[in-house]
Amino acid sequence: MSPAGCPHVNGFKVDNWKQNLRVIYQCFVWSGSAETRKRKKEEGGDPQPVALSRPLQAKSCICHMCGAHLNRLHSCLSCVFFGCFTKKHIHEHAKNKRHNLAIDLLYGGIYCFVCQDYIYDKDMEQIAKEEQRKAWKLQGVGEKYSTWEPTKRELELLRHNPKRRKITTNCTIGLRGLINLGNTCFMNCIVQALTHTPLLRDFFLSDRHKCEMQSNSCLVCEMSQLFQEFYSGHRSPHIPFRLLHLVWTHARHLAGYEQQDAHEFLIAALDVLHRHCKDDNGKKANNPNNCNCIIDQIFTGGLQSDVTCQVCHGVSTTIDPFWDISLDLPGSSTPFWPLSPGGDGSTLNGESHLSGATTLTDCLRRFTRPEHLGSSAKIKCSGCHSYQESTKQLTMKKLPIVACFHLKRFEHSAKLRRKIPTYVSFPLELDMTPFMASSKESRMNGQYQQSVDVFNNDNKYSLFAVVNHQGTLESGHYTTFIRQHKDQWFKCDDAVITKASIKDVLDSEGYLLFYHKQFLEYE
Amino acid sequence: MKMEDMSLSGLDNTKLEALAQDIYSDLVEDACLGLCFEVHRAVKQGYFFLDDTDQESMKDFEIVDQPGVDIFGQVYNQWKNKECVCPNCNRSIAASRFAPHLEKCLGMGRNSSRIANRRIASSNNMNNKSESDQEDNDDVNDNDWSYGSEKKAKKRKSDKVFLHSLKQHIPLNPNSPRRSKSVKHKNGELSNSVNADPYKYNYNTGINYETLGPDELRSLLTTQCGVISEHTKKMCTRSQRCPQHTDEQRRAVRVFLLGPSASSLPDADTMVESDCYDASDGQVLMSRLQWDGSSDISPSDSASSKASTNNSDSKKPKKKKKTSLGLNSTGGGGGGSGSGGGSSSQTSLVGLSNRKKKPKLPVPPAPSIYDNLN
């Protein structure tokens, strides 16, 4: 008998009690859909009694005394009687008939009238769990998430060791500085962004990486270790020397003691992690389309490129995977304005256009504008069978869970090498709907004015990390702003972590912007 | 509330509102009940207390938000003495110097391949004397600029000229860092291959032909210029096509050392160089060497007119400086024009496949003067 059980169930646990209990759960507590139950009846293979259909169930589940169907209806376990709890009708029945047990029809809890409390019997709970799982599967709801429960022994240990590390909103756990190993601030800032990517954090903290690499040189393992360091509660900054060593070993083009570009490091790191993760799934390394590693799940999006022949208007479409979107800025040598006409709502993302500052949405609009390729770049059109002028347009086919925007601040053309310091305002929340391939299709089909679908949450993103660069093209320093809890921001400057305000973040120049999808769905 | 078959059509708005309100409050109640059951179960099963944390721990991990300290309440800049163990050589290194150490340790840096090549060559060489001279400054903890401070001071000015042009190539631009790097690398690789010959830059040692046997001399003369300097009586260690000496001089030396039968120089095309070494490179080399010696010669000066024998006199260890700095000067210009504006949005959108196609070349050499500046 479990500690939460009671001795009075023993009277019930006789004969075919398990089956009877199952019936009650199936019929009155967790019932599957009407369809499946009808089908079960027709197939006839199932020895269990047919469960009631929903309308029938609804009609029969009423209090036998007052006819109410709410008020916490309970069913007696020993006979067919429904009574409401609130008005104590079930209590009366229990007293009269000496039927000590009843089941709550809403949540399936067992009530013992002698103990006068809900009790938790191990065997009965087991049956309840199985029935619920069955019913949810039939309904197509999926698995119920159940939290971890400690065993008796574990409870004892925990009681004897009351010191805990609990992550609250005002807690430093999860934050840690990183020592600069010699011009490695470009690496530190990316590490801070990655360790504060919620999905990635969850993946590593739940120990989901099963390493199949023989040697000690798996970068994913090192990443996992990094998360352990960040959540260890240590206050001194971490020294990421092993990470540096591994990255240099696996991404030779980055190796070398000199200042590097954070964006390059991000791509290289994701690439190495992706390659090492692939071993997990046992997939071939040469099949980039089929990889289901965590990096692909989180960071990989699909960019659709449509080339339209100007003569026959045939469209040739390709979709390329991407990990980041590089955006041109005004002030670079490539022209930024004007944008194509017929653009979508400019105040979509709540950015102010009054001051004339360029916004992230502006940059995205420019990115997804149709671009005339010019007579010097004619494309062979398969419809016309000749070289024709064409326009090209980029849109998002599939958005990644984490979208990284890279503002191209470093101009490296033949004439000049410089950093473009133009201020670009970026929002805390971003809606990517106007830049999707699907939106473009509906625009082309004549729906120019797209109403903003408030209930379509698929394309809404929240900012969670901003990497900034201070300095010049030749030498500078990277820092990162990261979001820890809902609206708490911190500035990570190598080994020093300080609290930052949202205003600090939004006023900063911005070089790499990390956005996370707001609503996640199962596939 | 009794359940009856009710028709909703006949009801007015207020009644509908009331019904909706009823349903809503029922749903809320049910949800609250669920939460109550969860808590009740946790208490009864005995794991409800797990959620608590002790006061001490709470205080320990509280965020500090005060000027001058970080969120842990620590003062900034106290982490100078952190150390770590290098995974490659297992030595204990100061954390803030770990990156430059690792670069050398892994043999990835600008200097490392030169050092390595020199080591390889010195293990193959016939002349033991030069070996010892090459060993200095080659160890991992080297101070790159170890010669006399007056030389250092002299160099500074021209260093800056060089360094400035080089700085441009530090890739902060994701668009075309590789292009500039690749040009540099080409030169870098050239310099490495040129450096493969260990004798080239050791003017303070040179080769004393008196100590070599005929076989050694013969094989030496197949790869090197070999012209004997009037001043030092030592053989020139540059390649067969070194611009400082003429073919006549080379022929004469061979006759002198090996006898009349060895008068023919190997054909220029069949030279045993590990990589092609053009006259232009020779000029570049010359300009570098001169730059080493004086501070006011720009890298682009023509070398042959300034060809002098002062180089063989100089006693400075030229090893490190040669870092292809000279080569980079031409490379720098080349790099600048090479890296064109690949700045349209299309090319910036490198999908993964595009990235993989980029030539991945090793890191370009840059002045190791930074190593000391920390």
Side-chain angles (χ1 to χ4, degrees), chain A residues 30-301:
Chain A
W30 295 303
S31 31
S33 67
E35 259 76 357
T36 46
R37 265 163 301 139
K38 228 197 273 175
R39 213 182 308 131
K40 259 164 106 171
K41 183 181 188 178
E42 277 154 16
E43 279 162 20
D46 204 301
Q48 286 178 0
V50 174
L52 295 173
S53 66
R54 272 261 177 76
L56 206 57
Q57 176 200 347
K59 286 220 166 94
S60 59
C61 289
I62 54 171
C63 174
H64 286 191
M65 293 184 65
C66 65
H69 70 282
L70 296 172
N71 297 335
R72 288 171 64 188
L73 208 61
H74 281 61
S75 160
C76 174
L77 279 185
S78 315
C79 71
V80 181
F81 179 87
F82 296 118
C84 50
F85 194 93
T86 344
K87 304 232 173 89
K88 300 249 190 286
H89 295 155
I90 189 80
H91 298 71
E92 275 185 50
H93 170 87
K95 202 162 72 168
N96 297 340
K97 295 282 176 72
R98 307 242 188 131
H99 292 167
N100 296 329
L101 300 171
I103 182 169
D104 166 44
L105 292 186
L106 199 52
Y107 287 101
I110 313 281
Y111 189 86
C112 172
F113 290 95
V114 182
C115 303
Q116 291 192 356
D117 196 8
Y118 284 94
I119 54 109
Y120 302 100
D121 180 84
K122 201 163 78 158
D123 299 327
M124 294 167 97
E125 283 206 300
Q126 181 63 27
I127 293 175
K129 232 195 279 206
E130 283 167 16
E131 291 307 314
Q132 183 184 46
R133 193 179 292 144
K134 270 197 249 173
W136 280 37
K137 211 157 149 186
L138 281 175
Q139 286 173 16
V141 181
E143 286 283 328
K144 179 179 182 180
Y145 172 73
S146 51
T147 53
W148 166 78
E149 264 177 50
T151 61
K152 248 167 85 165
R153 172 83 184 121
E154 283 165 351
L155 261 185
E156 221 182 286
L157 286 170
L158 287 165
R159 238 185 285 266
H160 284 137
N161 297 287
K163 232 164 135 47
R164 302 259 182 281
R165 204 183 292 152
K166 180 173 177 176
I167 301 180
T168 57
T169 45
N170 202 30
C171 173
T172 59
I173 310 267
L175 295 164
R176 198 156 173 206
L178 291 167
I179 296 273
N180 187 318
L181 304 171
N183 281 341
T184 59
C185 58
F186 68 91
M187 177 176 83
N188 289 348
C189 71
I190 297 297
V191 170
Q192 293 286 2
L194 289 178
T195 49
H196 292 95
T197 301
L199 273 187
L200 208 59
R201 174 202 66 203
D202 292 348
F203 176 82
F204 282 108
L205 285 181
S206 47
D207 209 16
R208 297 276 299 276
H209 170 60
K210 305 279 179 279
C211 193
E212 284 171 33
M213 278 182 77
Q214 305 301 332
S215 60
N216 257 359
S217 64
C218 174
L219 192 68
V220 191
C221 285
E222 183 55 33
M223 198 78 207
S224 185
Q225 187 56 33
L226 204 65
F227 276 94
Q228 295 297 319
E229 293 284 347
F230 267 69
Y231 282 85
S232 62
H234 288 144
R235 271 176 253 177
S236 59
H238 174 61
I239 311 176
F241 66 97
R242 259 196 321 268
L243 184 71
L244 186 73
H245 176 239
L246 281 179
V247 170
W248 281 6
T249 316
H250 292 293
R252 289 243 149 190
H253 63 287
L254 278 188
Y257 167 57
E258 60 178 21
Q259 298 190 22
Q260 312 239 4
D261 177 38
H263 175 248
E264 273 202 64
F265 180 82
L266 172 69
I267 300 301
L270 287 180
D271 188 43
V272 179
L273 286 170
H274 167 72
R275 277 189 273 135
H276 289 187
C277 268
K278 269 184 159 139
D279 296 337
D280 275 354
N281 296 334
K283 307 250 190 212
K284 289 247 179 285
N286 297 326
N287 196 355
N289 295 328
N290 253 349
C291 179
N292 204 26
C293 69
I294 187 71
I295 300 296
D296 270 340
Q297 283 177 45
I298 297 180
F299 293 99
T300 303

Side-chain angles (χ1 to χ4, degrees), chain A residues 281-387:
Chain A
N281 296 334
K283 307 250 190 212
K284 289 247 179 285
N286 297 326
N287 196 355
N289 295 328
N290 253 349
C291 179
N292 204 26
C293 69
I294 187 71
I295 300 296
D296 270 340
Q297 283 177 45
I298 297 180
F299 293 99
T300 303
L303 189 70
Q304 179 166 320
S305 166
D306 296 313
V307 177
T308 311
C309 171
Q310 289 302 86
V311 173
C312 67
H313 298 289
V315 183
S316 136
T317 304
T318 49
I319 300 180
D320 287 314
F322 69 86
W323 276 335
D324 68 309
I325 305 278
S326 289
L327 299 168
D328 283 311
L329 297 181
S332 66
S333 52
T334 53
F336 190 81
W337 307 105
L339 302 175
S340 60
D344 29 72
S346 54
T347 52
L348 184 65
N349 289 310
E351 295 158 344
S352 150
H353 275 249
L354 303 170
S355 53
T358 320
T359 66
L360 180 66
T361 322
D362 289 337
C363 296
L364 282 167
R365 268 196 294 149
R366 182 186 179 280
F367 184 75
T368 53
R369 79 196 186 294
E371 191 185 344
H372 191 85
L373 287 182
S375 48
S376 54
K378 287 187 175 167
I379 308 282
K380 176 117 192 248
C381 172
S382 50
C384 305
H385 300 291
S386 59
Y387 285 89

Side-chain angles (χ1 to χ4, degrees), chain B residues 9-83:
Chain B
S9 50
L11 297 174
D12 63 8
N13 262 350
T14 44
K15 289 237 174 71
L16 283 174
E17 278 279 333
L19 272 179
Q21 188 63 30
D22 275 342
I23 295 174
Y24 176 73
S25 52
D26 283 342
L27 288 171
V28 171
E29 226 177 273
D30 285 348
C32 292
L33 191 64
L35 181 62
C36 291
F37 276 127
E38 272 178 38
V39 174
H40 179 267
R41 184 167 191 278
V43 171
K44 260 213 128 149
Q45 300 278 43
Y47 59 84
F48 187 66
F49 74 97
L50 288 182
D51 219 24
D52 296 335
T53 182
D54 55 307
Q55 276 300 95
E56 205 188 305
S57 299
M58 291 275 279
K59 281 252 158 50
D60 256 357
F61 296 116
E62 222 175 338
I63 290 175
V64 175
D65 187 13
Q66 278 163 28
V69 289
D70 62 12
I71 53 166
F72 304 104
Q74 297 161 142
V75 184
Y76 307 159
N77 295 330
Q78 51 169 297
W79 312 111
K80 295 284 163 81
N81 299 328
K82 286 276 182 181
E83 289 201 343

Side-chain angles (χ1 to χ4, degrees), chain B residues 78-98:
Chain B
Q78 51 169 297
W79 312 111
K80 295 284 163 81
N81 299 328
K82 286 276 182 181
E83 289 201 343
C84 54
V85 175
C86 173
N88 206 39
C89 62
N90 283 322
R91 288 154 76 158
S92 179
I93 310 286
S96 55
R97 301 276 309 150
F98 180 71

